[in-house]
Amino acid sequence: MRLCPRAAVPAPEILCSRCSGVCNNKVKELSVRIPRPAGQGPSRFIPEEEILQVGMEDENMVLADAFADMGRLDNVALVMVFHPQYLESFLKTQHYLLQMDGPLPACYQHYIGIMAAARHQCSYLVNLHVNDFIQSGGDQKWRAEQVAGTQTLADNKRTHIEKLLKTGEHSWSLAELIHAVVLLAHYHSLASFTFGCGISPEIHGDSGHNFHPPSVSNYCICDITNGNHGGNEGRLTAGSLSSDSSCEVEVLMEKMKQLQECRDEEEASQEEMATRFEREKIESMLAFATEDEDPPPAREVSKHFEDTSYGYKDFSRRRMHVPTFRVQDFSWEDHGYSLVNRLYPDVGQLLDEKFHIAYNLTYNTMAMHNDVDTSTLRRAIWNYVHCMFGIRYDDYDYGEINQLLDRSFKVYIKNVVCSPEKTTKRMYDSYWRQFKHSEKVHVNLLLMEARMQAELLYALRAITWYMT
């Protein structure tokens, strides 16, 4: 028996005494390339054992229901299971958008998902939907550049609403447009969650394995089969926390308490509130990590869009004014919800439920502390995301943001929300160093839903203007 036709070494001489498998040193001699898992569990940022422990809890049935419904459990779901109430709402919404009969054909739904994910170079989501696109009857020629079907959908993303809805061969209905807008916002924001939590490629997917050398020098094939294929390098442990983070939680809790007390005592004028919003909006545009450059798009992603420069533009670097979007003039609760529900029945209700669960989700804990009111902090995170997009709440004091969110946290938020493909483990580890991974996953849920709502507000307001 030989592993390689060029090898002259009999099989017994290359077997490992530990497991009867092929040892790395012998594999090197034979020039055999063995694929290895590209990730260590569902997330590159969160230890696999923590995720598995949550997923195996007896009271958690949401994963079983998801598997029964979809026939698979992707890594996004395995990370979201830290918060089963949210995961249930997320899966229900995604199922309705992609599995139930809607205004758009199934193949269009998946292709829009592919394009939205490619917008952020999210190969994880692109690979998930490529197969679904084909299985739902999509034309494989659409995946090639310069094909009419591809160009039609690409045009539908970026041209004016009036051009989309006018009569003609490729005209869309208002219901189809709403469906497409919701799908785009869903997958743009899901890309933020994917990168923000360091979601690993599916092990059965195109990027699930690679041929990179192992991190451990004395490597054996039995380590793969036993799940010991990576070690713990780069992971943040309790012993590795720097001393300046020891009172980080206590300081944050004290600031939250002071803000709640001051809010009852005095209230700033509307002029001062507006000034604080403008100041925070300008500062938010400077929150990018300066050393990070735009990563080149992966080959399997770049073929799904033509303009590789399309993406978030930092207004501060171009001396552009960001107009203010006043929620009092157009809000999700008073305007967006009813428009979506009227043109795409039940979706407005599903989205509304998901927004509220993410925003109100709390276990009244912060790191090692219990019985904590986290509403002030959650509102600051949500409103900071909207502030970056020029969305203002007249009744919110934006001075609270600077007191509750430090620079490392703002850098993380800005990258996850605006340029998620630039998010690194260093950014993830650099903020809230004493907090649990489940709490950081909750942060990413807030960022994802706040971003999705912001995108929907702009799109739905434009559609409303067109209709009136």
Side-chain angles (χ1 to χ4, degrees):
M1 170 184 175
R2 301 178 187 275
L3 287 181
C4 176
R6 294 176 295 173
V9 183
E13 297 184 22
I14 63 172
L15 293 182
C16 172
S17 59
R18 292 164 53 194
C19 64
S20 298
V22 182
C23 280
N24 191 52
N25 57 345
K26 293 297 183 181
V27 168
K28 286 183 178 179
E29 293 177 10
L30 297 174
S31 298
V32 175
R33 303 176 72 216
I34 296 181
R36 299 180 177 89
Q40 303 174 32
S43 168
R44 294 178 291 107
F45 299 169
I46 305 171
E48 183 177 10
E49 56 270 18
E50 290 194 27
I51 297 174
L52 294 178
Q53 182 179 355
V54 174
M56 290 188 296
E57 291 178 355
D58 293 337
E59 66 272 22
N60 185 2
M61 298 298 295
V62 66
L63 288 181
D65 293 340
F67 182 81
D69 180 50
M70 300 185 296
R72 69 185 183 194
L73 289 175
D74 58 37
N75 288 341
V76 166
L78 291 174
V79 172
M80 282 185 183
V81 79
F82 276 111
H83 306 285
Q85 182 187 8
Y86 174 85
L87 175 58
E88 184 177 10
S89 177
F90 172 86
L91 292 175
K92 186 165 57 174
T93 303
Q94 186 165 260
H95 174 84
Y96 194 91
L97 289 174
L98 293 172
Q99 305 298 326
M100 304 296 288
D101 290 337
L104 290 173
C107 58
Y108 271 54
Q109 297 170 20
H110 289 294
Y111 199 82
I112 289 173
I114 291 171
M115 290 196 302
R119 146 79 169 82
H120 282 307
Q121 305 174 27
C122 188
S123 57
Y124 172 87
L125 293 177
V126 168
N127 290 333
L128 278 184
H129 282 280
V130 164
N131 289 333
D132 289 336
F133 168 72
I134 300 301
Q135 291 176 6
S136 62
D139 188 346
Q140 297 194 46
K141 294 179 180 179
W142 282 19
R143 298 177 58 191
E145 293 184 354
Q146 307 301 325
V147 175
T150 305
Q151 187 60 47
T152 299
L153 284 178
D155 282 342
N156 284 338
K157 282 181 61 179
R158 61 176 179 258
T159 53
H160 194 274
I161 295 174
E162 185 174 358
K163 180 181 177 181
L164 281 173
L165 302 180
K166 70 178 182 180
T167 57
E169 182 183 359
H170 300 297
S171 62
W172 285 21
S173 68
L174 274 170
E176 289 174 325
L177 178 59
I178 291 291
H179 194 175
V181 163
V182 172
L183 284 170
L184 288 172
H186 176 77
Y187 283 104
H188 287 157
S189 58
L190 188 54
S192 288
F193 182 86
T194 300
F195 284 110
C197 290
I199 301 297
S200 299
E202 302 296 325
I203 197 167
H204 60 273
D206 294 341
S207 304
H209 289 77
N210 58 40
F211 293 96
H212 294 166
S215 57
V216 182
S217 57
N218 186 20
Y219 192 84
C220 174
I221 193 66
C222 61
D223 291 324
I224 292 182
T225 60
N226 292 329
N228 304 320
H229 46 70
N232 293 318
E233 54 187 288
R235 288 179 177 169
L236 193 67
T237 63
S240 67
L241 291 171
S242 58
S243 58
D244 64 352
S245 69
S246 59
C247 60
E248 183 181 33
V249 182
E250 287 74 11
V251 170
L252 181 55
M253 289 177 61
E254 181 62 28
K255 289 181 179 178
M256 291 165 56
K257 181 180 178 181
Q258 292 174 0
L259 287 173
Q260 290 168 348
E261 293 173 350
C262 293
R263 189 183 301 141
D264 296 333
E265 295 175 1
E266 57 179 322
E267 186 174 328
S269 65
Q270 282 297 314
E271 292 76 12
E272 177 61 23
M273 299 268 271
T275 299
R276 292 175 183 178
F277 168 77
E278 291 298 329
R279 185 185 304 124
E280 191 59 48
K281 183 172 68 174
I282 293 172
E283 290 180 1
S284 73
M285 298 170 190
L286 304 173
F288 270 133
T290 55
E291 71 274 14
D292 294 322
E293 299 294 335
D294 292 338
R299 180 181 60 82
E300 68 270 22
V301 172
S302 61
K303 62 188 176 184
H304 295 293
F305 61 93
E306 297 176 0
D307 185 2
T308 58
S309 66
Y310 177 71
Y312 177 83
K313 304 298 182 184
D314 193 348
F315 297 103
S316 65
R317 297 178 186 177
R318 292 160 178 78
R319 303 182 182 276
M320 296 173 63
H321 172 68
V322 183
T324 296
F325 185 128
R326 295 178 70 253
V327 170
Q328 279 67 21
D329 297 332
F330 191 95
S331 69
W332 166 256
E333 291 79 7
D334 297 331
H335 306 92
Y337 167 81
S338 58
L339 177 61
V340 172
N341 236 30
R342 177 156 55 93
L343 294 172
Y344 191 4
D346 297 329
V347 169
Q349 179 63 38
L350 291 169
L351 293 175
D352 190 64
E353 175 186 284
K354 190 158 60 78
F355 290 150
H356 278 87
I357 289 177
Y359 185 88
N360 295 313
L361 183 65
T362 182
Y363 307 96
N364 298 114
T365 61
M366 283 185 66
M368 68 293 295
H369 299 278
N370 298 317
D371 300 319
V372 181
D373 180 0
T374 62
S375 58
T376 302
L377 183 57
R378 285 182 277 116
R379 188 180 186 190
I381 294 171
W382 186 280
N383 286 359
Y384 181 63
V385 172
H386 281 198
C387 179
M388 289 189 299
F389 292 101
I391 299 174
R392 181 194 170 199
Y393 296 82
D394 288 348
D395 61 347
Y396 181 70
D397 183 358
Y398 287 85
E400 295 186 6
I401 291 176
N402 264 340
Q403 298 186 56
L404 297 177
L405 313 183
D406 60 25
R407 174 165 174 76
S408 62
F409 192 18
K410 286 184 174 181
V411 167
Y412 177 79
I413 293 175
K414 181 66 176 286
N415 279 275
V416 168
V417 171
C418 299
S419 299
E421 61 275 11
K422 296 182 180 179
T423 307
T424 64
K425 188 176 187 300
R426 177 188 56 76
M427 296 177 194
Y428 177 89
D429 288 339
S430 67
Y431 83 94
W432 285 9
R433 288 163 288 181
Q434 285 191 314
F435 283 70
K436 302 171 186 175
H437 288 291
S438 62
E439 292 171 310
K440 292 194 172 187
V441 171
H442 184 196
V443 167
N444 279 297
L445 295 181
L446 281 170
L447 303 185
M448 173 173 66
E449 295 301 335
R451 177 194 172 161
M452 181 173 187
Q453 189 178 98
E455 186 171 338
L456 286 176
L457 284 176
Y458 277 101
L460 296 175
R461 185 180 66 168
I463 294 173
T464 300
W465 285 349
Y466 168 80
M467 293 172 61
T468 55

